[in-house]
Amino acid sequence: MDAVIDHDALASVVARVAAGDEVAFARLVAAHHDDMARVAFVVCGDVDLAQEAVQAAWPRVWQRIGSVRDPDRIKPWLVSVAANEARQLARSRGRRQVREVAVDPEIHGARWADRADPAERAAEIDLANALAGLDETDRVVLALRYVAGCSSTEIGNVIGMTAGGVRARIARLLDRLRRELH
């Protein structure tokens, strides 16, 4: 579970990390690691690769956190660092993930065995495959919005687009996903 840093303490934590405080950095990691991993997973489609991307992102964060001018924008900045790492790792490995239906719970784990409805499994797989069919930037946009909970303005700052452009892009992506899934 993420360790939350309240809004009032956030600026202090970011400033302390920028000054080299390892305890403050550990608080930042605890608060944001899971969000970064979720976004990285949406970008690359592989759990192990997503974790590797986040691990690679943290040293970059340590080196560059001084460049963050507004501590309120730390979360979008962190998840974008993780997304970029995931994108680079996926490219370098030439991976494109396609999900398979898990048939045997002994082979594929208890997570699948707990679901009695095969349609639920199929819907999850269809969504994962539809997301994998999007380009990297589109997956990043959706991950920032729906996984990390970033606003259109925050996403726009990350990808260099206006908030209105982000909203229009998300609407087009959602329409595309709906058509593919129905």
Side-chain angles (χ1 to χ4, degrees), residues 9-137:
L10 185 61
S12 171
V13 169
V14 171
R16 289 183 8 233
V17 172
D21 184 336
E22 293 178 11
V23 173
F25 186 67
R27 285 188 68 199
L28 195 66
V29 170
H32 296 285
H33 184 87
D34 290 346
D35 284 334
M36 292 169 68
R38 286 187 287 269
V39 168
F41 173 74
V42 171
V43 170
C44 69
D46 181 287
V47 173
D48 295 329
L49 197 60
Q51 285 298 330
E52 189 176 330
V54 176
Q55 291 301 322
W58 284 117
R60 292 193 189 283
V61 168
W62 178 259
Q63 293 170 345
R64 298 180 184 161
I65 197 160
S67 68
V68 176
R69 288 178 174 60
D70 183 359
D72 288 336
R73 293 189 172 167
I74 193 71
K75 183 177 178 178
W77 182 75
L78 289 171
V79 295
S80 68
V81 172
N84 287 336
E85 288 295 329
R87 188 179 311 143
Q88 290 173 359
L89 284 173
R91 279 184 192 154
S92 70
R93 299 216 176 143
R95 290 189 181 181
R96 183 171 175 111
Q97 293 295 321
V98 176
R99 303 265 177 198
E100 296 179 9
V101 176
V103 205
D104 186 350
E106 288 185 26
I107 295 172
H108 298 285
R111 183 171 86 91
W112 291 102
D114 293 342
R115 294 199 181 132
D117 185 5
E120 183 180 334
R121 286 186 244 160
E124 182 178 310
I125 292 164
D126 289 344
L127 177 59
N129 286 334
L131 288 170
L134 299 176
D135 73 32
E136 293 171 354
T137 303

